[in-house]
Amino acid sequence: MSLRPGWIADLTDTSVEFAMPVVANLVDSELLNTQRQLSEVARRINSAAAGVAAEIAHRSRRELGSAGLAQRLGARTPERLVQRVTGSTAREAQTMVRVGTLVANGMDAAASPDSRLDPAANAEPWLSDVAAEVAAGRLSIAVADAIQAGLGPVADATSSPDLVAGLIGAQKQLIRDSPTLTVEQLLIRARELRADLDAEGVRDRERMLRERRYLHITPTGDGMTRINGLLDPESAAVVIGAYDAMTSPRRGGPRFVDPTQATRAEDLVTDSRTLEQIAVDSFVDLIRIATLTDSNDVLGLRRAPVQVIVTERDLAGRRGSGRFEGGSEAVSIDTVERHICESGMVPILFDTTGQAVNVGRDQRLFNRRQRIGMAARDGGCRFPECDYPPSWTEAHHINEWTRDFGRTDIADGILLCRHHHLLVHDNGWRITRTGGDYFAVPPPSIDAHQRPIPAPTKSAALRRLLAS
């Protein structure tokens, strides 16, 4: 049973009473096609809404004072007025104003080609294609906002022509990649491109993020205490590593072969406390232990692992950047060197295909050194569109050890999160490799032709190495 033809077009006719469509009887293909059509309509409507929000902001600009539209209607900011009119969240209203303003500036620049040379007329010329795609309804405002935030501003566009040219190319690439990436993945990719294009600015951006860190501890009226804060990338790497170690079995993290770890994981899964309660109890225990332990042996236990990935070229030349394993934000070589000084380093040699050199073949399980190499190569779960970090993955043998006499070589292993590892073993998916490229092959029930889906590395450091 299909939906009535033309029902989607009726959505824009406010004189027609809205009724939620009945979709339970649709076959899978009809259901997915309906979702695509609705997304197309929503994208166009949201683009128009962003344009209106930008005009509201323009009529409420600061220099108009109390005569501005927002203040005349009792709203402190144009974003608040947009939020009130649309019933959206504060974040959604801010995004509409921000992207709408980008589009308005882009349209002004397109109307006057010479204005592209004038940064005052078009403050972000490296986003002109993004603005055009939003204006045409082909790019969602969420995607546009991710590209804008990820590529970031340029302090003085006139003094950075090479950077601006690079950012123009980056926006084109991100637009091409947007259909195959989630908004979150696109934001990460945009930040990676900015770090590669502006290596000299990594230290400044790292310092800026560090300056934004804070922790608020606020007693509440009912005897509880609220904790709120922001972590810079380096602090987050430490805290997230500890959090994952405490809670990942409960959150569907890796399974464990070691009996001690398996027992602890089972205890966590069956623990009567909520996940949030386990997390807060564990953090309190860590702080309690730290206060009772010698300062030279903080926590009294093995620290949660914090891995920093960097290419030898960048490290030797003291330029470029590194990244914390599982993190997406670039950090300066100064930070990388500080971690090497404190914790040492494990050299990992990659060949021209991006494959780590093998360090063992005879054992059934991948050893710790191999896992380090795989984490540096894969950057997390390698399954398409998955964003789980290395700490949440298991090592999968492409060629089954028992069935195909698979060897425990790094080249024949790949990191997969538990969900996708089970998907491969239990639902007919396969992982294949051609040189240094990996692919996920769906079962015939998903794709009768079983066309391989690329499973690219999530490691920004490795992509930087192979691009050089």
Side-chain angles (χ1 to χ4, degrees):
M1 178 180 177
S2 300
L3 293 168
R4 176 180 58 80
W7 75 273
I8 290 182
D10 289 345
L11 293 176
T12 58
D13 186 353
T14 56
S15 66
V16 177
E17 184 176 355
F18 174 75
M20 182 69 73
V22 178
V23 298
N25 294 326
L26 297 180
V27 299
D28 291 351
S29 59
E30 290 177 323
L31 185 67
L32 295 176
N33 187 53
T34 298
Q35 187 72 77
R36 291 189 187 96
Q37 292 182 60
L38 288 171
S39 297
E40 171 71 16
V41 173
R43 188 162 57 246
R44 296 183 179 191
I45 291 175
N46 288 335
S47 294
V52 174
E55 182 60 24
I56 291 174
H58 178 71
R59 297 185 187 188
S60 307
R61 57 193 185 277
R62 183 172 300 177
E63 58 265 30
L64 295 178
S66 59
L69 179 59
Q71 290 201 29
R72 278 194 288 112
L73 296 180
R76 191 169 67 248
T77 66
E79 289 82 5
R80 286 289 182 88
L81 180 56
V82 170
Q83 184 181 1
R84 181 200 301 171
V85 172
T86 62
S88 60
T89 66
R91 182 174 182 178
E92 290 168 340
Q94 291 164 2
T95 300
M96 279 192 280
V97 170
R98 191 162 50 239
V99 175
T101 301
L102 171 68
V103 173
N105 288 341
M107 293 174 66
D108 289 344
S112 176
D114 291 341
S115 68
R116 289 179 179 270
L117 304 177
D118 180 7
N122 186 18
E124 296 176 315
W126 55 91
L127 294 173
S128 56
D129 286 1
V130 172
E133 291 294 298
V134 174
R138 291 188 293 265
L139 207 65
S140 72
I141 63 173
V143 166
D145 196 46
I147 295 176
Q148 183 178 27
L151 292 182
V154 176
D156 186 355
T158 60
S159 63
S160 308
D162 292 339
L163 176 57
V164 170
L167 291 174
I168 290 174
Q171 68 148 357
K172 294 179 183 294
Q173 179 180 334
L174 291 166
I175 291 171
R176 290 194 300 270
D177 293 344
S178 62
T180 62
L181 298 176
T182 66
V183 173
E184 294 79 10
Q185 291 169 337
L186 198 68
L187 176 59
I188 291 171
R189 185 66 184 128
R191 290 204 300 259
E192 290 175 1
L193 290 172
R194 176 59 189 259
D196 290 342
L197 290 168
D198 187 19
E200 298 302 320
V202 168
R203 184 183 291 106
D204 292 336
R205 289 193 297 278
E206 183 183 24
R207 186 181 301 114
M208 178 189 68
L209 292 176
R210 184 167 175 76
E211 288 299 318
R212 292 175 56 195
R213 74 194 188 282
Y214 72 88
L215 179 67
H216 288 164
I217 300 178
T218 309
T220 62
D222 58 0
M224 300 294 284
T225 298
R226 178 178 290 108
I227 297 178
N228 175 268
L230 281 176
L231 299 174
D232 60 277
E234 185 174 357
S235 301
V238 176
V239 173
I240 291 173
Y243 180 70
D244 282 346
M246 298 169 192
T247 64
S248 66
R250 181 67 171 269
R251 296 154 63 203
R255 294 162 292 177
F256 298 100
V257 177
D258 180 84
T260 303
Q261 291 183 319
T263 300
R264 178 182 176 276
E266 182 62 26
D267 289 343
L268 273 176
V269 171
T270 59
D271 196 309
S272 61
R273 294 173 294 173
T274 66
L275 176 65
E276 292 77 10
Q277 289 171 337
I278 291 172
V280 71
D281 289 349
S282 298
F283 274 115
V284 171
D285 286 342
L286 284 175
I287 294 172
R288 182 183 295 116
I289 293 171
T291 61
L292 299 175
T293 304
D294 184 87
S295 60
N296 292 324
D297 188 24
V298 174
L299 301 185
L301 303 167
R302 182 178 66 85
R303 277 186 287 177
V306 177
Q307 309 284 357
V308 184
I309 312 298
V310 65
T311 67
E312 181 183 26
R313 183 190 68 248
D314 287 347
L315 185 61
R318 299 204 78 255
R319 65 178 307 277
S321 60
R323 282 173 177 82
F324 290 106
E325 181 182 283
S328 60
E329 193 66 38
V331 296
S332 66
I333 296 300
D334 292 338
T335 297
V336 172
E337 290 178 333
R338 175 158 47 79
H339 276 265
I340 291 175
C341 180
E342 181 180 2
S343 306
M345 69 178 183
V346 177
I348 303 171
L349 181 63
F350 289 91
D351 62 22
T352 55
T353 68
Q355 196 59 257
V357 171
N358 296 328
V359 294
R361 297 169 182 257
D362 299 328
Q363 70 276 15
R364 166 67 180 87
L365 303 174
F366 290 99
N367 62 32
R368 179 176 179 274
R369 192 178 183 89
Q370 288 176 307
R371 283 295 304 260
I372 291 174
M374 293 168 71
R377 181 197 67 194
D378 295 345
C381 177
R382 195 91 178 227
F383 203 87
E385 298 187 9
C386 185
D387 56 3
Y388 273 22
S391 61
W392 274 64
T393 60
E394 302 167 349
H396 168 68
H397 289 86
I398 292 177
N399 300 310
E400 290 293 337
W401 179 276
T402 54
R403 188 184 67 196
D404 301 325
F405 304 101
R407 303 183 305 179
T408 305
D409 292 347
I410 288 181
D412 289 326
I414 190 172
L415 294 185
L416 297 174
C417 69
R418 185 179 185 184
H419 169 73
H420 288 120
H421 201 179
L422 290 172
L423 189 73
V424 169
H425 282 279
D426 300 341
N427 290 65
W429 285 77
R430 292 186 297 112
I431 302 295
T432 62
R433 176 173 69 89
T434 302
D437 297 323
Y438 294 82
F439 302 87
V441 181
S445 59
I446 301 295
D447 181 359
H449 301 287
Q450 292 193 280
R451 287 164 288 210
I453 304 171
T457 177
K458 309 299 196 308
S459 171
L462 181 58
R463 285 198 293 264
R464 180 174 173 81
L465 177 66
L466 295 177
S468 62

